[in-house]
Amino acid sequence: MKKLFLMSLVFLSTMLAAQKPVEIKLWPNGAPNTNNMTQQVENGPLYVAEPTLTVYPAKEGNGMAIVACPGGGYTHLAMNHEGHDLANWFNSQGITYAVLTYRMPNGNNEVPLSDAQQALRIMRQHAAEWNLQQVGIMGSSAGGHLASTAATHFTDAETRPDFQILFYPVITMDPTYTHMGSHDNLLGKNPSKELEQKYSNELQVTPQTPPAFIMHSSDDGTVPVANSVNYYMALVKNKVSASLHTYPIGGHGWGFRDSFIYKRQWTGELEKWLREINNK
């Protein structure tokens, strides 16, 4: 009975930390680029008619915000366990959380990044309203590729994330160990070596790349753990603060699911890491 009461208190406090989400259109006056999609095609990539940012403002914000990019191989979006399901958990820490519904490349590799960069701009435009001092980006799988692309291909202070959180990310476009579905959907089946190198984010790290928290399972059969390891090594080489957490089992795509047996470990470590970087 006592345990049930305590669980109810935790649930209530988590719910109280969350506010009603706000949905913001990324491009109310039209996007600056196109993937030439006008409707959902059967067996085709997800058609996102209106890219949006769903923001969950923290009730008592601690100055941090996170933009989440769900995965899906650059062909669809895993919006729940890699997106909306984490809102209450982040809000309970005082972190304003936003889920990005971004457009698929469908032949234009610049489209997803432009949506992610616009999401960062929008969050910063609302900094005073939501008490934001740091805006980070988070991504899972192919969404991790998008997040790490935002972290390595920014063009100015507005589009540079303050930190990055990556769940089992696709990092490289090197055919020897990339996720070929993400590779083909972003770049096409026969891209140039130059294009592959451009989007191999382990090659794009500089000392200005933001701090990173990276998670991966060693037995991931979809996205090899070398993606995370090589990115981590590139960050270390460039003296960028980085934290890499590998788990012996778990496969791919666990996100916020309770079925992942190391959930208590990663949530505890990430919570601690976020506190540390917020105090710097």
XYZ file of all heavy atoms in Angstrom, residues 32-120:
672
model
N 11.897 27.012 -47.250
C 12.815 27.520 -48.276
C 13.270 26.455 -49.270
O 13.979 26.750 -50.228
C 14.013 28.009 -47.443
C 14.002 27.132 -46.236
C 12.558 26.844 -45.948
N 12.865 25.205 -49.026
C 13.256 24.115 -49.930
C 12.112 23.104 -49.978
O 11.140 23.217 -49.231
C 14.562 23.453 -49.465
C 14.518 23.106 -47.978
O 13.458 22.916 -47.395
N 15.682 23.023 -47.357
N 12.244 22.127 -50.853
C 11.143 21.169 -51.023
C 11.673 19.762 -51.257
O 12.766 19.582 -51.796
C 10.236 21.578 -52.200
O 9.174 20.620 -52.331
C 11.009 21.638 -53.507
N 10.880 18.775 -50.849
C 11.180 17.380 -51.185
C 10.233 16.879 -52.279
O 10.173 15.685 -52.566
C 11.099 16.481 -49.952
C 9.723 16.515 -49.288
O 8.770 17.093 -49.823
N 9.616 15.898 -48.120
N 9.487 17.819 -52.852
C 8.585 17.534 -53.976
C 7.493 16.524 -53.638
O 6.977 15.842 -54.528
C 9.374 17.059 -55.205
C 10.267 18.150 -55.772
O 9.800 19.268 -56.007
N 11.538 17.851 -55.963
N 7.118 16.447 -52.375
C 5.998 15.590 -51.976
C 4.752 16.456 -51.767
O 4.811 17.495 -51.115
C 6.318 14.838 -50.685
C 7.420 13.808 -50.824
S 7.624 12.809 -49.319
C 6.152 11.773 -49.381
N 3.642 16.003 -52.330
C 2.382 16.735 -52.168
C 1.294 15.876 -51.534
O 0.225 16.371 -51.195
C 1.872 17.259 -53.526
O 1.763 16.146 -54.438
C 2.842 18.286 -54.114
N 1.573 14.580 -51.406
C 0.604 13.673 -50.780
C 1.331 12.398 -50.353
O 2.476 12.156 -50.750
C -0.521 13.323 -51.746
C -0.056 12.612 -53.005
C -1.200 12.310 -53.959
O -2.310 12.779 -53.792
N -0.912 11.509 -54.974
N 0.643 11.606 -49.518
C 1.221 10.334 -49.104
C 1.112 9.317 -50.228
O 0.022 9.067 -50.747
C 0.508 9.801 -47.855
C 1.109 8.524 -47.294
C 2.562 8.713 -46.848
O 2.862 9.577 -46.046
N 3.460 7.905 -47.394
N 2.247 8.760 -50.622
C 2.277 7.741 -51.659
C 2.387 6.376 -50.984
O 3.157 6.202 -50.033
C 3.480 7.960 -52.602
C 3.561 6.861 -53.653
C 3.385 9.334 -53.260
N 1.608 5.410 -51.460
C 1.650 4.068 -50.882
C 3.061 3.496 -50.964
O 3.716 3.562 -52.005
C 0.667 3.149 -51.621
C 0.466 1.809 -50.925
C -0.583 0.936 -51.605
O -1.244 1.424 -52.551
O -0.724 -0.225 -51.196
N 3.537 2.981 -49.819
C 4.889 2.420 -49.689
C 5.991 3.463 -49.879
O 7.165 3.110 -50.005
C 5.110 1.263 -50.676
C 4.142 0.124 -50.434
O 3.821 -0.196 -49.294
N 3.656 -0.477 -51.516
N 5.607 4.737 -49.888
C 6.595 5.800 -50.016
C 6.940 6.366 -48.646
O 6.376 5.969 -47.627
N 7.882 7.304 -48.592
C 8.229 7.923 -47.311
C 7.053 8.711 -46.737
O 6.121 9.094 -47.457
C 9.399 8.845 -47.673
C 9.291 9.072 -49.144
C 8.662 7.849 -49.709
N 7.117 8.949 -45.441
C 6.060 9.688 -44.764
C 5.913 11.082 -45.355
O 6.899 11.812 -45.521
C 6.397 9.798 -43.271
C 5.436 10.633 -42.416
C 4.098 9.925 -42.265
C 6.058 10.904 -41.043
N 4.696 11.439 -45.689
C 4.422 12.795 -46.180
C 4.083 13.684 -45.002
O 3.093 13.476 -44.303
C 3.270 12.780 -47.182
C 2.784 14.163 -47.575
C 3.682 15.126 -48.044
C 1.436 14.508 -47.478
C 3.245 16.393 -48.413
C 0.988 15.766 -47.844
C 1.898 16.713 -48.303
O 1.460 17.967 -48.665
N 4.924 14.665 -44.745
C 4.693 15.641 -43.684
C 4.235 16.934 -44.355
O 5.033 17.687 -44.904
C 5.969 15.883 -42.846
C 5.740 16.969 -41.803
C 6.415 14.582 -42.182
N 2.934 17.156 -44.330
C 2.380 18.322 -45.025
C 2.836 19.626 -44.381
O 3.084 20.624 -45.065
C 0.851 18.245 -45.028
N 2.953 19.606 -43.050
C 3.296 20.812 -42.307
C 4.276 20.448 -41.196
O 3.874 19.949 -40.149
C 2.030 21.426 -41.699
C 2.216 22.780 -41.037
C 2.371 23.916 -42.039
O 1.392 24.253 -42.714
O 3.490 24.446 -42.132
N 5.585 20.637 -41.399
C 6.529 20.334 -40.318
C 6.240 21.206 -39.099
O 5.994 22.416 -39.234
C 7.896 20.641 -40.926
C 7.640 21.474 -42.126
C 6.261 21.147 -42.604
N 6.255 20.577 -37.936
C 5.876 21.290 -36.717
C 6.825 20.970 -35.569
O 7.558 19.985 -35.595
C 4.447 20.919 -36.265
O 4.380 19.499 -36.062
C 3.398 21.356 -37.272
N 6.727 21.805 -34.548
C 7.443 21.611 -33.296
C 6.391 21.585 -32.190
O 5.661 22.559 -32.004
C 8.414 22.771 -33.092
C 9.520 22.631 -32.051
C 10.413 21.436 -32.350
C 10.349 23.914 -31.996
N 6.274 20.457 -31.502
C 5.342 20.343 -30.385
C 6.130 20.560 -29.102
O 6.974 19.746 -28.737
C 4.655 18.974 -30.362
O 4.022 18.753 -31.625
C 3.616 18.897 -29.251
N 5.864 21.679 -28.440
C 6.661 22.110 -27.289
C 5.911 21.830 -25.992
O 4.735 22.176 -25.857
C 7.002 23.612 -27.376
C 7.930 24.025 -26.236
C 7.630 23.943 -28.725
N 6.622 21.197 -25.057
C 6.101 20.954 -23.711
C 6.879 21.846 -22.739
O 7.949 21.464 -22.261
C 6.285 19.487 -23.314
C 5.536 18.486 -24.163
C 6.062 18.034 -25.376
C 4.316 17.959 -23.745
C 5.386 17.101 -26.162
C 3.638 17.014 -24.513
C 4.178 16.605 -25.718
O 3.507 15.671 -26.487
N 6.385 23.058 -22.460
C 7.127 23.944 -21.560
C 7.140 23.391 -20.135
O 6.116 22.924 -19.636
C 6.348 25.265 -21.618
C 5.435 25.145 -22.808
C 5.140 23.683 -22.946
N 8.312 23.424 -19.504
C 8.395 23.009 -18.105
C 7.718 24.055 -17.236
O 7.827 25.256 -17.493
C 9.854 22.837 -17.702
N 7.019 23.598 -16.209
C 6.281 24.521 -15.344
C 7.228 25.477 -14.628
O 6.988 26.677 -14.559
C 5.444 23.738 -14.328
C 4.413 24.596 -13.610
C 3.493 23.738 -12.770
C 2.399 24.611 -12.136
N 1.497 23.794 -11.283
N 8.305 24.931 -14.080
C 9.333 25.759 -13.453
C 10.648 25.439 -14.144
O 11.415 24.592 -13.699
C 9.404 25.492 -11.950
C 8.140 25.946 -11.218
C 8.206 25.687 -9.720
O 9.293 25.325 -9.229
O 7.175 25.841 -9.063
N 10.894 26.115 -15.254
C 12.035 25.790 -16.095
C 13.367 26.079 -15.433
O 13.524 27.064 -14.708
N 14.342 25.198 -15.718
C 15.683 25.362 -15.149
C 16.644 26.023 -16.134
O 17.848 26.078 -15.903
C 16.249 24.007 -14.689
C 16.534 23.062 -15.859
O 16.317 23.396 -17.019
N 17.023 21.868 -15.555
N 16.104 26.517 -17.258
C 16.938 27.195 -18.250
C 17.315 26.335 -19.437
O 17.897 26.819 -20.403
N 16.962 25.030 -19.387
C 17.342 24.121 -20.475
C 16.138 23.748 -21.335
O 15.011 23.651 -20.837
C 17.943 22.828 -19.917
C 19.185 23.019 -19.090
S 19.919 21.421 -18.604
C 21.025 21.161 -19.989
N 16.419 23.509 -22.616
C 15.407 22.993 -23.539
C 16.053 21.966 -24.448
O 17.252 22.038 -24.735
C 14.793 24.108 -24.371
N 15.249 21.013 -24.904
C 15.728 19.955 -25.797
C 14.764 19.821 -26.972
O 13.545 19.752 -26.780
C 15.820 18.609 -25.047
C 16.959 18.644 -24.021
C 16.020 17.445 -26.018
C 16.965 17.485 -23.054
N 15.315 19.790 -28.177
C 14.539 19.496 -29.386
C 14.821 18.045 -29.758
O 15.976 17.679 -30.004
C 14.935 20.428 -30.547
C 14.254 19.983 -31.848
C 14.580 21.876 -30.230
N 13.783 17.216 -29.792
C 13.945 15.785 -30.077
C 13.611 15.473 -31.535
O 12.567 15.892 -32.040
C 13.041 14.967 -29.162
N 14.502 14.709 -32.172
C 14.310 14.258 -33.548
C 14.079 12.745 -33.526
O 15.047 11.976 -33.399
C 15.540 14.567 -34.399
S 16.078 16.291 -34.356
N 12.839 12.283 -33.632
C 12.594 10.830 -33.640
C 13.260 10.160 -34.834
O 13.511 10.800 -35.865
C 11.062 10.736 -33.741
C 10.554 12.069 -33.260
C 11.594 13.059 -33.696
N 13.533 8.868 -34.686
C 14.151 8.111 -35.772
C 13.109 7.568 -36.741
O 11.919 7.865 -36.641
N 13.589 6.759 -37.680
C 12.704 6.189 -38.680
C 13.368 5.996 -40.025
O 12.699 5.853 -41.047
N 14.715 5.997 -40.039
C 15.429 5.682 -41.277
C 15.289 6.709 -42.372
O 15.484 6.394 -43.551
N 14.919 7.949 -42.023
C 14.661 9.002 -43.005
C 13.537 8.614 -43.968
O 13.496 9.081 -45.114
C 15.928 9.360 -43.799
C 16.902 10.249 -43.041
C 18.227 9.856 -42.843
C 16.509 11.486 -42.534
C 19.129 10.670 -42.163
C 17.410 12.304 -41.861
C 18.713 11.890 -41.675
O 19.603 12.707 -41.006
N 12.619 7.756 -43.464
C 11.451 7.403 -44.284
C 10.148 7.486 -43.500
O 9.079 7.610 -44.083
C 11.627 6.001 -44.904
O 10.555 5.725 -45.793
C 11.642 4.914 -43.844
N 10.232 7.414 -42.152
C 9.053 7.594 -41.300
C 9.532 8.137 -39.959
O 10.723 8.414 -39.787
C 8.291 6.270 -41.133
C 9.071 5.195 -40.454
N 9.977 4.378 -41.116
C 9.106 4.796 -39.150
C 10.519 3.525 -40.270
N 10.017 3.753 -39.059
N 8.644 8.312 -38.996
C 8.994 8.890 -37.703
C 8.425 8.057 -36.558
O 7.228 7.794 -36.519
C 8.471 10.328 -37.593
C 9.085 11.359 -38.551
C 8.356 12.698 -38.441
C 10.575 11.549 -38.265
N 9.301 7.659 -35.629
C 8.881 6.926 -34.422
C 8.528 7.959 -33.347
O 9.310 8.215 -32.430
C 9.996 6.006 -33.954
N 7.344 8.555 -33.466
C 7.000 9.750 -32.698
C 6.758 9.504 -31.209
O 6.864 10.436 -30.418
C 5.744 10.413 -33.289
C 5.930 10.963 -34.677
S 7.206 12.254 -34.795
C 6.448 13.589 -33.884
N 6.446 8.270 -30.822
C 6.085 8.033 -29.421
C 7.287 7.710 -28.541
O 7.747 8.551 -27.771
C 5.001 6.953 -29.340
C 3.700 7.412 -29.991
O 3.309 8.568 -29.887
N 3.034 6.505 -30.687
N 7.830 6.473 -28.646
C 8.895 6.079 -27.718
C 10.207 6.824 -27.946
O 11.084 6.810 -27.086
C 9.119 4.560 -27.764
C 9.728 4.063 -29.034
N 9.032 4.012 -30.221
C 10.973 3.579 -29.303
C 9.826 3.516 -31.170
N 11.011 3.254 -30.635
N 10.347 7.494 -29.101
C 11.537 8.317 -29.343
C 11.189 9.804 -29.391
O 12.035 10.624 -29.756
C 12.215 7.886 -30.649
C 12.805 6.479 -30.561
C 13.406 5.954 -31.854
O 13.310 6.637 -32.904
O 13.977 4.847 -31.825
N 9.942 10.108 -29.006
C 9.489 11.493 -29.060
C 8.641 11.885 -27.862
O 9.150 12.162 -26.778
N 7.330 11.854 -28.049
C 6.411 12.400 -27.044
C 6.472 11.695 -25.690
O 6.218 12.317 -24.658
C 4.976 12.360 -27.585
C 4.772 13.221 -28.794
N 4.783 14.603 -28.741
C 4.576 12.895 -30.098
C 4.589 15.088 -29.960
N 4.467 14.074 -30.803
N 6.818 10.407 -25.680
C 6.801 9.655 -24.417
C 7.804 10.190 -23.393
O 7.680 9.912 -22.198
C 7.096 8.169 -24.671
C 5.970 7.468 -25.414
O 4.914 8.089 -25.634
O 6.151 6.291 -25.796
N 8.800 10.941 -23.829
C 9.820 11.448 -22.904
C 9.469 12.810 -22.308
O 10.199 13.315 -21.448
C 11.178 11.552 -23.603
C 11.867 10.249 -23.957
C 11.544 9.820 -25.382
C 13.377 10.354 -23.787
N 8.360 13.406 -22.741
C 8.048 14.789 -22.342
C 7.922 14.948 -20.831
O 8.539 15.840 -20.235
C 6.773 15.255 -23.042
N 7.124 14.091 -20.192
C 6.926 14.233 -18.750
C 8.224 14.047 -17.978
O 8.472 14.737 -16.981
C 5.877 13.232 -18.249
C 4.459 13.649 -18.617
O 4.195 14.818 -18.875
N 3.555 12.694 -18.654
N 9.050 13.095 -18.439
C 10.310 12.826 -17.741
C 11.227 14.044 -17.783
O 11.804 14.440 -16.768
C 10.996 11.601 -18.348
C 12.237 11.200 -17.610
C 12.322 10.603 -16.387
C 13.590 11.391 -18.054
N 13.644 10.402 -16.038
C 14.444 10.875 -17.042
C 14.166 11.941 -19.204
C 15.830 10.902 -17.144
C 15.555 11.952 -19.307
C 16.367 11.442 -18.280
N 11.358 14.656 -18.950
C 12.190 15.862 -19.040
C 11.558 17.030 -18.285
O 12.251 17.774 -17.582
C 12.436 16.237 -20.502
C 13.520 15.430 -21.167
C 13.233 14.605 -22.251
C 14.827 15.484 -20.717
C 14.224 13.856 -22.869
C 15.840 14.740 -21.327
C 15.541 13.928 -22.407
N 10.248 17.218 -18.424
C 9.576 18.306 -17.709
C 9.759 18.203 -16.205
O 9.890 19.212 -15.505
C 8.083 18.316 -18.037
C 7.743 18.976 -19.366
O 6.591 18.934 -19.798
N 8.700 19.597 -20.035
N 9.761 16.967 -15.676
C 9.901 16.777 -14.229
C 11.270 17.245 -13.726
O 11.442 17.484 -12.527
C 9.685 15.306 -13.860
O 10.746 14.497 -14.341
N 12.236 17.382 -14.657
C 13.567 17.900 -14.296
C 13.678 19.400 -14.540
O 14.757 19.984 -14.402
C 14.635 17.175 -15.114
C 14.696 15.680 -14.873
C 15.610 14.995 -15.867
O 16.800 15.271 -15.933
N 15.049 14.101 -16.664
N 12.563 20.025 -14.937
C 12.577 21.452 -15.218
C 13.035 21.792 -16.621
O 13.357 22.943 -16.919
N 13.072 20.785 -17.501
C 13.554 20.980 -18.869
C 12.377 21.113 -19.826
O 11.499 20.257 -19.861
C 14.452 19.806 -19.304
C 15.688 19.722 -18.397
C 14.864 19.939 -20.767
C 16.505 18.464 -18.580
N 12.356 22.197 -20.591
C 11.360 22.361 -21.638
C 11.726 21.442 -22.796
O 12.890 21.391 -23.222
C 11.291 23.829 -22.092
O 10.708 24.601 -21.029
C 10.462 24.001 -23.350
N 10.735 20.705 -23.290
C 11.000 19.629 -24.246
C 10.148 19.840 -25.490
O 8.976 20.222 -25.401
C 10.649 18.298 -23.573
C 10.846 17.059 -24.415
C 12.121 16.612 -24.741
C 9.755 16.313 -24.851
C 12.298 15.456 -25.492
C 9.921 15.162 -25.595
C 11.200 14.740 -25.913
O 11.378 13.597 -26.651
N 10.738 19.611 -26.653
C 10.018 19.810 -27.909
C 10.266 18.643 -28.848
O 11.398 18.154 -28.957
C 10.449 21.109 -28.569
N 9.216 18.190 -29.517
C 9.328 17.077 -30.468
C 9.168 17.627 -31.880
O 8.172 18.298 -32.187
C 8.270 15.994 -30.188
C 8.432 14.837 -31.170
C 8.383 15.485 -28.749
N 10.146 17.333 -32.729
C 10.160 17.836 -34.098
C 9.538 16.833 -35.060
O 9.974 15.687 -35.138
C 11.604 18.130 -34.508
C 11.836 18.594 -35.953
C 11.121 19.911 -36.233
C 13.336 18.713 -36.234
N 8.521 17.266 -35.788
C 7.966 16.490 -36.898
C 8.592 17.057 -38.168
O 8.176 18.101 -38.666
C 6.431 16.603 -36.950
O 5.881 16.182 -35.698
C 5.851 15.747 -38.065
N 9.641 16.394 -38.638
C 10.410 16.928 -39.757
C 10.076 16.204 -41.055
O 9.580 15.081 -41.062
C 11.916 16.858 -39.470
C 12.476 15.486 -39.163
C 13.010 14.670 -40.168
C 12.506 14.991 -37.862
C 13.551 13.421 -39.887
C 13.040 13.743 -37.563
C 13.555 12.960 -38.580
O 14.080 11.728 -38.296
N 10.380 16.874 -42.163
C 10.104 16.316 -43.483
C 11.178 15.298 -43.878
O 12.330 15.414 -43.489
C 10.058 17.442 -44.524
C 8.910 18.418 -44.356
C 9.075 19.637 -45.247
N 10.250 20.423 -44.852
C 10.919 21.233 -45.665
N 10.562 21.350 -46.945
N 11.976 21.909 -45.226
N 10.762 14.315 -44.652
C 11.681 13.301 -45.160
C 12.477 13.875 -46.348
O 11.997 14.768 -47.039
C 10.924 12.052 -45.611
C 10.098 11.377 -44.505
S 11.075 10.799 -43.090
C 10.737 12.077 -41.872
N 13.683 13.355 -46.605
C 14.490 13.904 -47.702
C 13.838 13.720 -49.068
O 13.735 14.680 -49.842
C 15.803 13.114 -47.619
C 15.807 12.473 -46.285
C 14.387 12.299 -45.867
N 13.425 12.477 -49.368
C 12.801 12.162 -50.658
C 13.551 12.804 -51.825
O 12.960 13.405 -52.717
C 11.327 12.618 -50.668
C 10.550 12.026 -51.836
O 10.640 10.835 -52.101
N 9.785 12.851 -52.536
N 14.886 12.662 -51.813
C 15.670 13.195 -52.921
C 16.367 14.511 -52.638
O 17.193 14.946 -53.447
N 16.053 15.144 -51.514
C 16.712 16.410 -51.160
C 17.320 16.269 -49.770
O 16.626 16.394 -48.757
C 15.722 17.570 -51.210
C 16.408 18.924 -51.001
O 17.548 18.994 -50.549
N 15.707 20.005 -51.324
N 18.624 16.015 -49.721
C 19.281 15.740 -48.436
C 19.313 16.939 -47.495
O 19.605 16.790 -46.311
C 20.699 15.196 -48.655
C 21.585 16.152 -49.442
O 21.983 17.193 -48.963
N 21.893 15.787 -50.689
N 19.011 18.132 -47.994
C 19.071 19.334 -47.156
C 17.788 19.576 -46.363
O 17.783 20.379 -45.420
C 19.376 20.560 -48.032
C 20.743 20.493 -48.697
C 21.014 21.689 -49.596
O 20.096 22.531 -49.760
O 22.135 21.779 -50.137
N 16.717 18.883 -46.718
C 15.402 19.166 -46.121
C 15.346 18.877 -44.619
O 14.935 19.746 -43.836
C 14.287 18.425 -46.901
C 13.006 18.328 -46.094
C 14.022 19.146 -48.221
N 15.740 17.684 -44.140
C 15.638 17.439 -42.695
C 16.472 18.406 -41.860
O 16.013 18.891 -40.814
C 16.127 15.995 -42.540
C 15.939 15.375 -43.891
C 16.207 16.482 -44.860
N 17.697 18.700 -42.298
C 18.557 19.612 -41.542
C 17.959 21.012 -41.475
O 18.019 21.658 -40.426
C 19.958 19.662 -42.152
C 20.946 20.611 -41.452
C 21.142 20.231 -39.989
C 22.288 20.645 -42.190
N 17.371 21.462 -42.563
C 16.774 22.805 -42.534
C 15.639 22.861 -41.514
O 15.472 23.874 -40.813
C 16.283 23.224 -43.925
O 15.234 22.401 -44.371
N 14.867 21.772 -41.383
C 13.794 21.731 -40.390
C 14.364 21.727 -38.967
O 13.853 22.426 -38.081
C 12.913 20.495 -40.601
C 11.984 20.630 -41.810
O 11.966 21.696 -42.451
O 11.275 19.646 -42.113
N 15.423 20.959 -38.746
C 16.040 20.906 -37.415
C 16.627 22.266 -37.030
O 16.481 22.718 -35.886
C 17.126 19.827 -37.386
N 17.286 22.914 -37.980
C 17.862 24.226 -37.683
C 16.778 25.268 -37.405
O 16.926 26.104 -36.504
C 18.756 24.669 -38.844
C 20.025 23.834 -38.956
C 20.917 24.266 -40.093
O 20.446 24.794 -41.113
N 22.217 24.033 -39.960
N 15.676 25.190 -38.138
C 14.572 26.121 -37.893
C 13.961 25.882 -36.509
O 13.564 26.834 -35.825
C 13.508 25.977 -38.986
C 12.312 26.907 -38.853
C 12.644 28.376 -39.070
O 13.807 28.745 -39.229
N 11.626 29.219 -39.061
N 13.901 24.615 -36.093
C 13.382 24.294 -34.758
C 14.238 24.944 -33.672
O 13.716 25.490 -32.692
C 13.335 22.782 -34.566
N 15.560 24.906 -33.842
C 16.458 25.552 -32.875
C 16.248 27.065 -32.857
O 16.226 27.686 -31.784
C 17.916 25.220 -33.218
C 18.324 23.753 -33.017
C 19.661 23.469 -33.695
C 18.400 23.409 -31.534
